[in-house]
Amino acid sequence: CFQACYFLDRVFLNNGLDDLAHRGKFQLFAMACIWIAMKFAESEDVRDLGKQLVDYSNDAYKLEDLVSAEHAVLTLLDWRANLVTPNCFLGVYMSQLTLHRDVHSLTILLLGLALQQHHFMIYAPSILASAALQCAGHLVYVDGDLKEDAFAAWSAQVVNISKLSIIEVSPCAQLMYEAYNQFAANHARVISPMNRMESTVESSCIVS
């Protein structure tokens, strides 16, 4: 998900869809970005994955179209497809943290929300990953009516592992907190902070 969105963003930044030959093919280029990202993550047969994407498009395109779009995307990217994303840092951070059961799902949800809003593009992947962990911890330990000293301990763990200070991370974390509240207001039953958290955690698998 993260890699595919980063690929598509870079295609747009390079004005990759401005060419007359590519206009009207946003869905096809998005499929190509997903396919490239899937090749990094999946072990299934590559052609089978491509056929699945064609099926999902209701046969609007053929596999040959997808292959051509993939080549066009990689050319626009100058074949630099091994991107650093928030997930790269998140895996390292989480492997060293003692996680509350809801923190992982909320962190993925927050990063998914960040992918959908352009003002998060100014932050480095490491900042995004750390901010998502800090924000998820706040939602669980503080908004979730657990002990605030538990959040302080959690926050200190994240800072120690990421080597990023609260000052560096807090602007991004605040934006994530606002994005989460907006998402919760639109999609969840707002009864209490914990009920809101539980219902949006259930939705996180959709976003991620």
Side-chain angles (χ1 to χ4, degrees), residues 74-108:
L74 289 170
T75 300
L76 286 166
L77 298 177
D78 198 24
W79 293 83
R80 296 175 182 175
N82 192 17
L83 299 180
V84 177
T85 70
N87 253 3
C88 299
F89 292 92
L90 197 60
V92 176
Y93 296 166
M94 285 188 167
S95 67
Q96 302 178 59
L97 288 166
T98 303
L99 293 175
H100 184 281
R101 64 182 182 278
D102 293 326
V103 168
H104 181 272
S105 296
L106 276 169
T107 301
I108 298 300

Side-chain angles (χ1 to χ4, degrees), residues 107-118:
T107 301
I108 298 300
L109 169 62
L110 291 165
L111 287 175
L113 295 175
L115 279 176
Q116 302 171 46
Q117 302 186 29
H118 66 88

Side-chain angles (χ1 to χ4, degrees), residues 1-2 105 108-109 111-113 115-116 203-208:
C1 178
F2 294 104
S105 296
I108 298 300
L109 169 62
L111 287 175
L113 295 175
L115 279 176
Q116 302 171 46
S203 303
S204 65
C205 60
I206 300 174
V207 177
S208 60

Side-chain angles (χ1 to χ4, degrees), residues 33 48 72 86 102 129 170:
C33 290
D48 288 341
D102 293 326
S170 60

